[in-house]
Amino acid sequence: QVQLVESGGGLVQPGGSLRLSCAASGSIFSINAMGWYRQAPGKERELVAAMTSGGSTKYADSVKGRFTISRDNAKNTVYLQMNSLKPEDTAVYYCNADQLVGLELYDYWGQGTQVTVSS
């Protein structure tokens, strides 16, 4: 089992910045990709950014150039630096981790942290 704990959400004005953190604990061996998803009211959960253990990244088109994902393997923590925030970035942000054990792929989620962009 892997436990994911997010922090760093809050209220910010348009154009502002926030940094989200997600700390992984438990059986963290063989964690492959870690990333961030978000879900706005009435919408489906969507990928925001992800990073593999090898450092490859993927971003949603809507956040490219504004958000940056990074990973500190020594601290088992993944970060999401969010700059130039827009009201449409308002959502609950969830940390995700994929773990490959043998031929089984396990998917873990954090509890979510609210990000609200409003003046």
PDB file of all heavy atoms in Angstrom, residues 6 8-12 18 20 36-48 63 67 80 82 85-94 111-118:
ATOM      1  N   GLU A   6      -1.423  15.201   0.198  1.00  0.00           N
ATOM      2  CA  GLU A   6      -1.232  16.453  -0.524  1.00  0.00           C
ATOM      3  C   GLU A   6      -1.272  17.636   0.435  1.00  0.00           C
ATOM      4  O   GLU A   6      -1.897  17.578   1.497  1.00  0.00           O
ATOM      5  CB  GLU A   6      -2.324  16.654  -1.573  1.00  0.00           C
ATOM      6  CG  GLU A   6      -2.414  15.554  -2.606  1.00  0.00           C
ATOM      7  CD  GLU A   6      -3.737  14.858  -2.580  1.00  0.00           C
ATOM      8  OE1 GLU A   6      -4.349  14.805  -1.495  1.00  0.00           O
ATOM      9  OE2 GLU A   6      -4.179  14.355  -3.629  1.00  0.00           O
ATOM     10  N   GLY A   8      -0.800  22.315   0.219  1.00  0.00           N
ATOM     11  CA  GLY A   8      -0.448  23.493  -0.560  1.00  0.00           C
ATOM     12  C   GLY A   8      -1.585  24.176  -1.283  1.00  0.00           C
ATOM     13  O   GLY A   8      -1.384  25.200  -1.918  1.00  0.00           O
ATOM     14  N   GLY A   9      -2.778  23.619  -1.208  1.00  0.00           N
ATOM     15  CA  GLY A   9      -3.901  24.270  -1.880  1.00  0.00           C
ATOM     16  C   GLY A   9      -4.329  25.525  -1.142  1.00  0.00           C
ATOM     17  O   GLY A   9      -3.815  25.847  -0.068  1.00  0.00           O
ATOM     18  N   GLY A  10      -5.277  26.246  -1.733  1.00  0.00           N
ATOM     19  CA  GLY A  10      -5.778  27.447  -1.077  1.00  0.00           C
ATOM     20  C   GLY A  10      -6.441  28.378  -2.051  1.00  0.00           C
ATOM     21  O   GLY A  10      -6.740  28.008  -3.193  1.00  0.00           O
ATOM     22  N   LEU A  11      -6.655  29.606  -1.575  1.00  0.00           N
ATOM     23  CA  LEU A  11      -7.283  30.648  -2.378  1.00  0.00           C
ATOM     24  C   LEU A  11      -6.206  31.593  -2.893  1.00  0.00           C
ATOM     25  O   LEU A  11      -5.357  32.060  -2.107  1.00  0.00           O
ATOM     26  CB  LEU A  11      -8.292  31.412  -1.523  1.00  0.00           C
ATOM     27  CG  LEU A  11      -8.934  32.652  -2.142  1.00  0.00           C
ATOM     28  CD1 LEU A  11      -9.776  32.274  -3.349  1.00  0.00           C
ATOM     29  CD2 LEU A  11      -9.768  33.391  -1.100  1.00  0.00           C
ATOM     30  N   VAL A  12      -6.246  31.882  -4.177  1.00  0.00           N
ATOM     31  CA  VAL A  12      -5.262  32.776  -4.777  1.00  0.00           C
ATOM     32  C   VAL A  12      -5.958  33.639  -5.824  1.00  0.00           C
ATOM     33  O   VAL A  12      -6.947  33.209  -6.434  1.00  0.00           O
ATOM     34  CB  VAL A  12      -4.097  31.968  -5.393  1.00  0.00           C
ATOM     35  CG1 VAL A  12      -4.588  31.097  -6.529  1.00  0.00           C
ATOM     36  CG2 VAL A  12      -2.963  32.865  -5.832  1.00  0.00           C
ATOM     37  N   LEU A  18       0.776  29.100  -6.785  1.00  0.00           N
ATOM     38  CA  LEU A  18       0.692  28.150  -5.676  1.00  0.00           C
ATOM     39  C   LEU A  18       1.608  26.984  -5.978  1.00  0.00           C
ATOM     40  O   LEU A  18       1.851  26.674  -7.154  1.00  0.00           O
ATOM     41  CB  LEU A  18      -0.733  27.614  -5.492  1.00  0.00           C
ATOM     42  CG  LEU A  18      -1.775  28.466  -4.774  1.00  0.00           C
ATOM     43  CD1 LEU A  18      -3.134  27.757  -4.838  1.00  0.00           C
ATOM     44  CD2 LEU A  18      -1.383  28.744  -3.344  1.00  0.00           C
ATOM     45  N   LEU A  20       1.828  22.932  -4.999  1.00  0.00           N
ATOM     46  CA  LEU A  20       1.257  21.758  -4.346  1.00  0.00           C
ATOM     47  C   LEU A  20       2.360  20.739  -4.092  1.00  0.00           C
ATOM     48  O   LEU A  20       3.280  20.588  -4.898  1.00  0.00           O
ATOM     49  CB  LEU A  20       0.172  21.122  -5.217  1.00  0.00           C
ATOM     50  CG  LEU A  20      -0.981  22.034  -5.663  1.00  0.00           C
ATOM     51  CD1 LEU A  20      -1.998  21.211  -6.466  1.00  0.00           C
ATOM     52  CD2 LEU A  20      -1.640  22.710  -4.490  1.00  0.00           C
ATOM     53  N   TRP A  36      -0.507  14.690 -11.116  1.00  0.00           N
ATOM     54  CA  TRP A  36      -1.606  15.480 -10.568  1.00  0.00           C
ATOM     55  C   TRP A  36      -2.781  15.464 -11.528  1.00  0.00           C
ATOM     56  O   TRP A  36      -2.607  15.637 -12.744  1.00  0.00           O
ATOM     57  CB  TRP A  36      -1.151  16.917 -10.336  1.00  0.00           C
ATOM     58  CG  TRP A  36      -0.117  17.043  -9.279  1.00  0.00           C
ATOM     59  CD1 TRP A  36       1.240  17.032  -9.433  1.00  0.00           C
ATOM     60  CD2 TRP A  36      -0.344  17.204  -7.878  1.00  0.00           C
ATOM     61  NE1 TRP A  36       1.866  17.168  -8.231  1.00  0.00           N
ATOM     62  CE2 TRP A  36       0.910  17.278  -7.251  1.00  0.00           C
ATOM     63  CE3 TRP A  36      -1.497  17.296  -7.087  1.00  0.00           C
ATOM     64  CZ2 TRP A  36       1.053  17.442  -5.877  1.00  0.00           C
ATOM     65  CZ3 TRP A  36      -1.353  17.465  -5.726  1.00  0.00           C
ATOM     66  CH2 TRP A  36      -0.097  17.537  -5.123  1.00  0.00           C
ATOM     67  N   TYR A  37      -3.943  15.260 -10.971  1.00  0.00           N
ATOM     68  CA  TYR A  37      -5.198  15.364 -11.686  1.00  0.00           C
ATOM     69  C   TYR A  37      -6.036  16.436 -10.995  1.00  0.00           C
ATOM     70  O   TYR A  37      -5.758  16.800  -9.850  1.00  0.00           O
ATOM     71  CB  TYR A  37      -5.953  14.032 -11.659  1.00  0.00           C
ATOM     72  CG  TYR A  37      -5.352  12.957 -12.517  1.00  0.00           C
ATOM     73  CD1 TYR A  37      -4.135  12.355 -12.182  1.00  0.00           C
ATOM     74  CD2 TYR A  37      -6.000  12.516 -13.673  1.00  0.00           C
ATOM     75  CE1 TYR A  37      -3.579  11.362 -12.976  1.00  0.00           C
ATOM     76  CE2 TYR A  37      -5.459  11.517 -14.475  1.00  0.00           C
ATOM     77  CZ  TYR A  37      -4.254  10.946 -14.108  1.00  0.00           C
ATOM     78  OH  TYR A  37      -3.716   9.964 -14.899  1.00  0.00           O
ATOM     79  N   ARG A  38      -7.045  16.901 -11.687  1.00  0.00           N
ATOM     80  CA  ARG A  38      -7.962  17.850 -11.054  1.00  0.00           C
ATOM     81  C   ARG A  38      -9.383  17.582 -11.495  1.00  0.00           C
ATOM     82  O   ARG A  38      -9.628  17.033 -12.564  1.00  0.00           O
ATOM     83  CB  ARG A  38      -7.573  19.297 -11.377  1.00  0.00           C
ATOM     84  CG  ARG A  38      -7.742  19.690 -12.830  1.00  0.00           C
ATOM     85  CD  ARG A  38      -7.183  21.096 -13.054  1.00  0.00           C
ATOM     86  NE  ARG A  38      -7.329  21.524 -14.443  1.00  0.00           N
ATOM     87  CZ  ARG A  38      -6.795  22.633 -14.933  1.00  0.00           C
ATOM     88  NH1 ARG A  38      -6.073  23.440 -14.145  1.00  0.00           N
ATOM     89  NH2 ARG A  38      -6.973  22.959 -16.194  1.00  0.00           N
ATOM     90  N   GLN A  39     -10.308  17.985 -10.641  1.00  0.00           N
ATOM     91  CA  GLN A  39     -11.724  17.819 -10.943  1.00  0.00           C
ATOM     92  C   GLN A  39     -12.468  19.064 -10.496  1.00  0.00           C
ATOM     93  O   GLN A  39     -12.492  19.382  -9.301  1.00  0.00           O
ATOM     94  CB  GLN A  39     -12.297  16.580 -10.268  1.00  0.00           C
ATOM     95  CG  GLN A  39     -13.718  16.264 -10.691  1.00  0.00           C
ATOM     96  CD  GLN A  39     -14.147  14.866 -10.270  1.00  0.00           C
ATOM     97  OE1 GLN A  39     -13.562  14.250  -9.379  1.00  0.00           O
ATOM     98  NE2 GLN A  39     -15.158  14.353 -10.929  1.00  0.00           N
ATOM     99  N   ALA A  40     -13.052  19.743 -11.458  1.00  0.00           N
ATOM    100  CA  ALA A  40     -13.879  20.912 -11.178  1.00  0.00           C
ATOM    101  C   ALA A  40     -15.329  20.472 -11.021  1.00  0.00           C
ATOM    102  O   ALA A  40     -15.714  19.409 -11.530  1.00  0.00           O
ATOM    103  CB  ALA A  40     -13.745  21.927 -12.315  1.00  0.00           C
ATOM    104  N   PRO A  41     -16.142  21.247 -10.334  1.00  0.00           N
ATOM    105  CA  PRO A  41     -17.548  20.876 -10.150  1.00  0.00           C
ATOM    106  C   PRO A  41     -18.241  20.614 -11.469  1.00  0.00           C
ATOM    107  O   PRO A  41     -18.151  21.423 -12.407  1.00  0.00           O
ATOM    108  CB  PRO A  41     -18.141  22.099  -9.435  1.00  0.00           C
ATOM    109  CG  PRO A  41     -16.995  22.716  -8.732  1.00  0.00           C
ATOM    110  CD  PRO A  41     -15.811  22.504  -9.623  1.00  0.00           C
ATOM    111  N   GLY A  42     -18.917  19.485 -11.556  1.00  0.00           N
ATOM    112  CA  GLY A  42     -19.662  19.145 -12.761  1.00  0.00           C
ATOM    113  C   GLY A  42     -18.823  18.647 -13.917  1.00  0.00           C
ATOM    114  O   GLY A  42     -19.353  18.420 -15.010  1.00  0.00           O
ATOM    115  N   LYS A  43     -17.517  18.484 -13.695  1.00  0.00           N
ATOM    116  CA  LYS A  43     -16.642  18.031 -14.767  1.00  0.00           C
ATOM    117  C   LYS A  43     -15.949  16.738 -14.371  1.00  0.00           C
ATOM    118  O   LYS A  43     -15.871  16.381 -13.197  1.00  0.00           O
ATOM    119  CB  LYS A  43     -15.606  19.102 -15.093  1.00  0.00           C
ATOM    120  CG  LYS A  43     -16.206  20.377 -15.675  1.00  0.00           C
ATOM    121  CD  LYS A  43     -15.124  21.318 -16.149  1.00  0.00           C
ATOM    122  CE  LYS A  43     -15.700  22.558 -16.808  1.00  0.00           C
ATOM    123  NZ  LYS A  43     -14.639  23.471 -17.317  1.00  0.00           N
ATOM    124  N   GLU A  44     -15.412  16.051 -15.372  1.00  0.00           N
ATOM    125  CA  GLU A  44     -14.686  14.826 -15.115  1.00  0.00           C
ATOM    126  C   GLU A  44     -13.265  15.145 -14.625  1.00  0.00           C
ATOM    127  O   GLU A  44     -12.721  16.210 -14.911  1.00  0.00           O
ATOM    128  CB  GLU A  44     -14.616  13.977 -16.386  1.00  0.00           C
ATOM    129  CG  GLU A  44     -15.964  13.451 -16.838  1.00  0.00           C
ATOM    130  CD  GLU A  44     -15.839  12.492 -18.009  1.00  0.00           C
ATOM    131  OE1 GLU A  44     -14.724  12.349 -18.552  1.00  0.00           O
ATOM    132  OE2 GLU A  44     -16.856  11.896 -18.391  1.00  0.00           O
ATOM    133  N   ARG A  45     -12.714  14.187 -13.909  1.00  0.00           N
ATOM    134  CA  ARG A  45     -11.332  14.334 -13.467  1.00  0.00           C
ATOM    135  C   ARG A  45     -10.423  14.289 -14.698  1.00  0.00           C
ATOM    136  O   ARG A  45     -10.592  13.459 -15.581  1.00  0.00           O
ATOM    137  CB  ARG A  45     -10.968  13.225 -12.484  1.00  0.00           C
ATOM    138  CG  ARG A  45      -9.652  13.415 -11.778  1.00  0.00           C
ATOM    139  CD  ARG A  45      -9.432  12.359 -10.722  1.00  0.00           C
ATOM    140  NE  ARG A  45     -10.426  12.465  -9.653  1.00  0.00           N
ATOM    141  CZ  ARG A  45     -10.367  11.771  -8.505  1.00  0.00           C
ATOM    142  NH1 ARG A  45      -9.342  10.949  -8.290  1.00  0.00           N
ATOM    143  NH2 ARG A  45     -11.295  11.908  -7.584  1.00  0.00           N
ATOM    144  N   GLU A  46      -9.443  15.194 -14.714  1.00  0.00           N
ATOM    145  CA  GLU A  46      -8.554  15.256 -15.868  1.00  0.00           C
ATOM    146  C   GLU A  46      -7.092  15.300 -15.422  1.00  0.00           C
ATOM    147  O   GLU A  46      -6.777  15.815 -14.339  1.00  0.00           O
ATOM    148  CB  GLU A  46      -8.848  16.504 -16.713  1.00  0.00           C
ATOM    149  CG  GLU A  46      -8.642  17.821 -15.986  1.00  0.00           C
ATOM    150  CD  GLU A  46      -8.825  19.032 -16.897  1.00  0.00           C
ATOM    151  OE1 GLU A  46      -9.072  18.864 -18.099  1.00  0.00           O
ATOM    152  OE2 GLU A  46      -8.697  20.167 -16.373  1.00  0.00           O
ATOM    153  N   LEU A  47      -6.233  14.796 -16.286  1.00  0.00           N
ATOM    154  CA  LEU A  47      -4.802  14.851 -16.018  1.00  0.00           C
ATOM    155  C   LEU A  47      -4.314  16.290 -16.135  1.00  0.00           C
ATOM    156  O   LEU A  47      -4.645  16.981 -17.095  1.00  0.00           O
ATOM    157  CB  LEU A  47      -4.040  13.969 -17.005  1.00  0.00           C
ATOM    158  CG  LEU A  47      -2.519  14.063 -16.944  1.00  0.00           C
ATOM    159  CD1 LEU A  47      -1.991  13.450 -15.655  1.00  0.00           C
ATOM    160  CD2 LEU A  47      -1.883  13.401 -18.164  1.00  0.00           C
ATOM    161  N   VAL A  48      -3.525  16.718 -15.158  1.00  0.00           N
ATOM    162  CA  VAL A  48      -2.892  18.027 -15.216  1.00  0.00           C
ATOM    163  C   VAL A  48      -1.431  17.870 -15.640  1.00  0.00           C
ATOM    164  O   VAL A  48      -0.975  18.489 -16.592  1.00  0.00           O
ATOM    165  CB  VAL A  48      -2.966  18.745 -13.856  1.00  0.00           C
ATOM    166  CG1 VAL A  48      -2.230  20.081 -13.916  1.00  0.00           C
ATOM    167  CG2 VAL A  48      -4.414  18.941 -13.435  1.00  0.00           C
ATOM    168  N   VAL A  63      -2.377  23.817 -19.353  1.00  0.00           N
ATOM    169  CA  VAL A  63      -1.453  24.285 -18.319  1.00  0.00           C
ATOM    170  C   VAL A  63      -0.022  24.397 -18.809  1.00  0.00           C
ATOM    171  O   VAL A  63       0.851  24.855 -18.058  1.00  0.00           O
ATOM    172  CB  VAL A  63      -1.503  23.378 -17.070  1.00  0.00           C
ATOM    173  CG1 VAL A  63      -2.927  23.212 -16.572  1.00  0.00           C
ATOM    174  CG2 VAL A  63      -0.847  22.028 -17.324  1.00  0.00           C
ATOM    175  N   PHE A  67       2.385  25.615 -15.581  1.00  0.00           N
ATOM    176  CA  PHE A  67       2.581  24.666 -14.485  1.00  0.00           C
ATOM    177  C   PHE A  67       3.854  23.860 -14.731  1.00  0.00           C
ATOM    178  O   PHE A  67       4.185  23.543 -15.875  1.00  0.00           O
ATOM    179  CB  PHE A  67       1.410  23.692 -14.387  1.00  0.00           C
ATOM    180  CG  PHE A  67       0.110  24.293 -13.928  1.00  0.00           C
ATOM    181  CD1 PHE A  67      -0.075  25.660 -13.825  1.00  0.00           C
ATOM    182  CD2 PHE A  67      -0.958  23.470 -13.607  1.00  0.00           C
ATOM    183  CE1 PHE A  67      -1.274  26.205 -13.411  1.00  0.00           C
ATOM    184  CE2 PHE A  67      -2.170  23.994 -13.189  1.00  0.00           C
ATOM    185  CZ  PHE A  67      -2.323  25.369 -13.094  1.00  0.00           C
ATOM    186  N   LEU A  80       3.851  20.382  -7.709  1.00  0.00           N
ATOM    187  CA  LEU A  80       3.260  21.039  -8.869  1.00  0.00           C
ATOM    188  C   LEU A  80       3.327  22.535  -8.624  1.00  0.00           C
ATOM    189  O   LEU A  80       2.614  23.065  -7.764  1.00  0.00           O
ATOM    190  CB  LEU A  80       1.807  20.594  -9.078  1.00  0.00           C
ATOM    191  CG  LEU A  80       1.156  21.154 -10.333  1.00  0.00           C
ATOM    192  CD1 LEU A  80       1.802  20.547 -11.585  1.00  0.00           C
ATOM    193  CD2 LEU A  80      -0.353  20.876 -10.342  1.00  0.00           C
ATOM    194  N   MET A  82       2.416  26.036  -9.796  1.00  0.00           N
ATOM    195  CA  MET A  82       1.367  26.602 -10.636  1.00  0.00           C
ATOM    196  C   MET A  82       1.521  28.118 -10.662  1.00  0.00           C
ATOM    197  O   MET A  82       1.395  28.777  -9.621  1.00  0.00           O
ATOM    198  CB  MET A  82      -0.016  26.217 -10.097  1.00  0.00           C
ATOM    199  CG  MET A  82      -0.215  24.717  -9.952  1.00  0.00           C
ATOM    200  SD  MET A  82      -1.882  24.269  -9.453  1.00  0.00           S
ATOM    201  CE  MET A  82      -1.928  24.935  -7.798  1.00  0.00           C
ATOM    202  N   LEU A  85      -2.061  31.659 -12.522  1.00  0.00           N
ATOM    203  CA  LEU A  85      -3.307  30.925 -12.320  1.00  0.00           C
ATOM    204  C   LEU A  85      -4.501  31.685 -12.854  1.00  0.00           C
ATOM    205  O   LEU A  85      -4.561  32.922 -12.802  1.00  0.00           O
ATOM    206  CB  LEU A  85      -3.482  30.614 -10.835  1.00  0.00           C
ATOM    207  CG  LEU A  85      -2.629  29.438 -10.345  1.00  0.00           C
ATOM    208  CD1 LEU A  85      -2.466  29.470  -8.832  1.00  0.00           C
ATOM    209  CD2 LEU A  85      -3.240  28.121 -10.785  1.00  0.00           C
ATOM    210  N   LYS A  86      -5.459  30.919 -13.364  1.00  0.00           N
ATOM    211  CA  LYS A  86      -6.678  31.457 -13.952  1.00  0.00           C
ATOM    212  C   LYS A  86      -7.890  30.923 -13.180  1.00  0.00           C
ATOM    213  O   LYS A  86      -7.813  29.845 -12.575  1.00  0.00           O
ATOM    214  CB  LYS A  86      -6.786  31.036 -15.410  1.00  0.00           C
ATOM    215  CG  LYS A  86      -5.597  31.414 -16.273  1.00  0.00           C
ATOM    216  CD  LYS A  86      -5.756  30.852 -17.679  1.00  0.00           C
ATOM    217  CE  LYS A  86      -4.565  31.204 -18.555  1.00  0.00           C
ATOM    218  NZ  LYS A  86      -4.711  30.654 -19.936  1.00  0.00           N
ATOM    219  N   PRO A  87      -8.999  31.620 -13.232  1.00  0.00           N
ATOM    220  CA  PRO A  87     -10.201  31.112 -12.557  1.00  0.00           C
ATOM    221  C   PRO A  87     -10.580  29.690 -13.002  1.00  0.00           C
ATOM    222  O   PRO A  87     -11.062  28.899 -12.192  1.00  0.00           O
ATOM    223  CB  PRO A  87     -11.273  32.123 -12.946  1.00  0.00           C
ATOM    224  CG  PRO A  87     -10.515  33.400 -13.148  1.00  0.00           C
ATOM    225  CD  PRO A  87      -9.213  32.980 -13.752  1.00  0.00           C
ATOM    226  N   GLU A  88     -10.306  29.374 -14.254  1.00  0.00           N
ATOM    227  CA  GLU A  88     -10.647  28.037 -14.747  1.00  0.00           C
ATOM    228  C   GLU A  88      -9.724  26.947 -14.207  1.00  0.00           C
ATOM    229  O   GLU A  88      -9.955  25.758 -14.444  1.00  0.00           O
ATOM    230  CB  GLU A  88     -10.644  27.997 -16.289  1.00  0.00           C
ATOM    231  CG  GLU A  88      -9.406  28.553 -16.947  1.00  0.00           C
ATOM    232  CD  GLU A  88      -9.570  30.008 -17.356  1.00  0.00           C
ATOM    233  OE1 GLU A  88     -10.160  30.804 -16.582  1.00  0.00           O
ATOM    234  OE2 GLU A  88      -9.105  30.345 -18.475  1.00  0.00           O
ATOM    235  N   ASP A  89      -8.696  27.317 -13.468  1.00  0.00           N
ATOM    236  CA  ASP A  89      -7.861  26.333 -12.784  1.00  0.00           C
ATOM    237  C   ASP A  89      -8.471  25.892 -11.455  1.00  0.00           C
ATOM    238  O   ASP A  89      -7.953  24.978 -10.801  1.00  0.00           O
ATOM    239  CB  ASP A  89      -6.462  26.899 -12.520  1.00  0.00           C
ATOM    240  CG  ASP A  89      -5.689  27.178 -13.789  1.00  0.00           C
ATOM    241  OD1 ASP A  89      -5.729  26.336 -14.707  1.00  0.00           O
ATOM    242  OD2 ASP A  89      -5.041  28.240 -13.865  1.00  0.00           O
ATOM    243  N   THR A  90      -9.546  26.543 -11.060  1.00  0.00           N
ATOM    244  CA  THR A  90     -10.214  26.185  -9.811  1.00  0.00           C
ATOM    245  C   THR A  90     -10.725  24.754  -9.870  1.00  0.00           C
ATOM    246  O   THR A  90     -11.451  24.385 -10.802  1.00  0.00           O
ATOM    247  CB  THR A  90     -11.388  27.145  -9.543  1.00  0.00           C
ATOM    248  OG1 THR A  90     -10.873  28.471  -9.338  1.00  0.00           O
ATOM    249  CG2 THR A  90     -12.177  26.711  -8.316  1.00  0.00           C
ATOM    250  N   ALA A  91     -10.322  23.954  -8.902  1.00  0.00           N
ATOM    251  CA  ALA A  91     -10.695  22.537  -8.871  1.00  0.00           C
ATOM    252  C   ALA A  91     -10.115  21.905  -7.609  1.00  0.00           C
ATOM    253  O   ALA A  91      -9.314  22.526  -6.895  1.00  0.00           O
ATOM    254  CB  ALA A  91     -10.146  21.811 -10.094  1.00  0.00           C
ATOM    255  N   VAL A  92     -10.527  20.676  -7.369  1.00  0.00           N
ATOM    256  CA  VAL A  92      -9.837  19.851  -6.373  1.00  0.00           C
ATOM    257  C   VAL A  92      -8.716  19.125  -7.110  1.00  0.00           C
ATOM    258  O   VAL A  92      -8.950  18.491  -8.135  1.00  0.00           O
ATOM    259  CB  VAL A  92     -10.790  18.840  -5.711  1.00  0.00           C
ATOM    260  CG1 VAL A  92     -10.019  17.971  -4.721  1.00  0.00           C
ATOM    261  CG2 VAL A  92     -11.929  19.568  -5.006  1.00  0.00           C
ATOM    262  N   TYR A  93      -7.520  19.254  -6.587  1.00  0.00           N
ATOM    263  CA  TYR A  93      -6.349  18.642  -7.203  1.00  0.00           C
ATOM    264  C   TYR A  93      -5.979  17.371  -6.430  1.00  0.00           C
ATOM    265  O   TYR A  93      -5.858  17.393  -5.201  1.00  0.00           O
ATOM    266  CB  TYR A  93      -5.185  19.624  -7.208  1.00  0.00           C
ATOM    267  CG  TYR A  93      -5.323  20.689  -8.266  1.00  0.00           C
ATOM    268  CD1 TYR A  93      -6.317  21.665  -8.166  1.00  0.00           C
ATOM    269  CD2 TYR A  93      -4.498  20.705  -9.390  1.00  0.00           C
ATOM    270  CE1 TYR A  93      -6.468  22.634  -9.146  1.00  0.00           C
ATOM    271  CE2 TYR A  93      -4.648  21.668 -10.377  1.00  0.00           C
ATOM    272  CZ  TYR A  93      -5.632  22.622 -10.252  1.00  0.00           C
ATOM    273  OH  TYR A  93      -5.780  23.573 -11.235  1.00  0.00           O
ATOM    274  N   TYR A  94      -5.799  16.296  -7.183  1.00  0.00           N
ATOM    275  CA  TYR A  94      -5.502  14.998  -6.600  1.00  0.00           C
ATOM    276  C   TYR A  94      -4.122  14.518  -7.044  1.00  0.00           C
ATOM    277  O   TYR A  94      -3.785  14.583  -8.236  1.00  0.00           O
ATOM    278  CB  TYR A  94      -6.530  13.960  -7.030  1.00  0.00           C
ATOM    279  CG  TYR A  94      -7.932  14.233  -6.557  1.00  0.00           C
ATOM    280  CD1 TYR A  94      -8.819  14.965  -7.338  1.00  0.00           C
ATOM    281  CD2 TYR A  94      -8.387  13.749  -5.335  1.00  0.00           C
ATOM    282  CE1 TYR A  94     -10.116  15.219  -6.919  1.00  0.00           C
ATOM    283  CE2 TYR A  94      -9.679  13.996  -4.902  1.00  0.00           C
ATOM    284  CZ  TYR A  94     -10.536  14.727  -5.695  1.00  0.00           C
ATOM    285  OH  TYR A  94     -11.818  14.969  -5.264  1.00  0.00           O
ATOM    286  N   GLN A 111      -6.090  12.434  -1.015  1.00  0.00           N
ATOM    287  CA  GLN A 111      -7.429  12.843  -0.605  1.00  0.00           C
ATOM    288  C   GLN A 111      -7.908  14.097  -1.335  1.00  0.00           C
ATOM    289  O   GLN A 111      -9.101  14.424  -1.292  1.00  0.00           O
ATOM    290  CB  GLN A 111      -7.457  13.096   0.917  1.00  0.00           C
ATOM    291  CG  GLN A 111      -6.881  14.439   1.366  1.00  0.00           C
ATOM    292  CD  GLN A 111      -5.374  14.494   1.344  1.00  0.00           C
ATOM    293  OE1 GLN A 111      -4.695  13.515   1.007  1.00  0.00           O
ATOM    294  NE2 GLN A 111      -4.823  15.644   1.729  1.00  0.00           N
ATOM    295  N   GLY A 112      -7.006  14.771  -1.991  1.00  0.00           N
ATOM    296  CA  GLY A 112      -7.371  15.969  -2.741  1.00  0.00           C
ATOM    297  C   GLY A 112      -7.143  17.240  -1.952  1.00  0.00           C
ATOM    298  O   GLY A 112      -7.266  17.253  -0.722  1.00  0.00           O
ATOM    299  N   THR A 113      -6.792  18.296  -2.665  1.00  0.00           N
ATOM    300  CA  THR A 113      -6.621  19.607  -2.043  1.00  0.00           C
ATOM    301  C   THR A 113      -7.292  20.650  -2.937  1.00  0.00           C
ATOM    302  O   THR A 113      -7.151  20.619  -4.159  1.00  0.00           O
ATOM    303  CB  THR A 113      -5.133  19.930  -1.811  1.00  0.00           C
ATOM    304  OG1 THR A 113      -5.008  21.162  -1.096  1.00  0.00           O
ATOM    305  CG2 THR A 113      -4.338  20.025  -3.109  1.00  0.00           C
ATOM    306  N   GLN A 114      -8.044  21.546  -2.320  1.00  0.00           N
ATOM    307  CA  GLN A 114      -8.814  22.525  -3.076  1.00  0.00           C
ATOM    308  C   GLN A 114      -7.926  23.692  -3.502  1.00  0.00           C
ATOM    309  O   GLN A 114      -7.195  24.255  -2.692  1.00  0.00           O
ATOM    310  CB  GLN A 114      -9.971  23.058  -2.226  1.00  0.00           C
ATOM    311  CG  GLN A 114     -10.797  24.142  -2.892  1.00  0.00           C
ATOM    312  CD  GLN A 114     -11.642  23.613  -4.037  1.00  0.00           C
ATOM    313  OE1 GLN A 114     -12.301  22.576  -3.916  1.00  0.00           O
ATOM    314  NE2 GLN A 114     -11.643  24.331  -5.166  1.00  0.00           N
ATOM    315  N   VAL A 115      -8.032  24.038  -4.775  1.00  0.00           N
ATOM    316  CA  VAL A 115      -7.396  25.244  -5.314  1.00  0.00           C
ATOM    317  C   VAL A 115      -8.503  26.135  -5.862  1.00  0.00           C
ATOM    318  O   VAL A 115      -9.282  25.700  -6.708  1.00  0.00           O
ATOM    319  CB  VAL A 115      -6.383  24.904  -6.415  1.00  0.00           C
ATOM    320  CG1 VAL A 115      -5.894  26.179  -7.109  1.00  0.00           C
ATOM    321  CG2 VAL A 115      -5.215  24.121  -5.850  1.00  0.00           C
ATOM    322  N   THR A 116      -8.581  27.336  -5.342  1.00  0.00           N
ATOM    323  CA  THR A 116      -9.581  28.299  -5.792  1.00  0.00           C
ATOM    324  C   THR A 116      -8.880  29.549  -6.285  1.00  0.00           C
ATOM    325  O   THR A 116      -8.090  30.157  -5.553  1.00  0.00           O
ATOM    326  CB  THR A 116     -10.547  28.662  -4.649  1.00  0.00           C
ATOM    327  OG1 THR A 116     -11.181  27.471  -4.163  1.00  0.00           O
ATOM    328  CG2 THR A 116     -11.621  29.627  -5.140  1.00  0.00           C
ATOM    329  N   VAL A 117      -9.162  29.909  -7.533  1.00  0.00           N
ATOM    330  CA  VAL A 117      -8.578  31.108  -8.144  1.00  0.00           C
ATOM    331  C   VAL A 117      -9.703  32.112  -8.341  1.00  0.00           C
ATOM    332  O   VAL A 117     -10.591  31.915  -9.165  1.00  0.00           O
ATOM    333  CB  VAL A 117      -7.894  30.787  -9.481  1.00  0.00           C
ATOM    334  CG1 VAL A 117      -7.209  32.044 -10.022  1.00  0.00           C
ATOM    335  CG2 VAL A 117      -6.901  29.654  -9.318  1.00  0.00           C
ATOM    336  N   SER A 118      -9.653  33.161  -7.545  1.00  0.00           N
ATOM    337  CA  SER A 118     -10.742  34.136  -7.574  1.00  0.00           C
ATOM    338  C   SER A 118     -10.261  35.465  -7.012  1.00  0.00           C
ATOM    339  O   SER A 118      -9.406  35.514  -6.122  1.00  0.00           O
ATOM    340  CB  SER A 118     -11.920  33.623  -6.735  1.00  0.00           C
ATOM    341  OG  SER A 118     -12.939  34.603  -6.656  1.00  0.00           O
TER     342      SER A 118
END
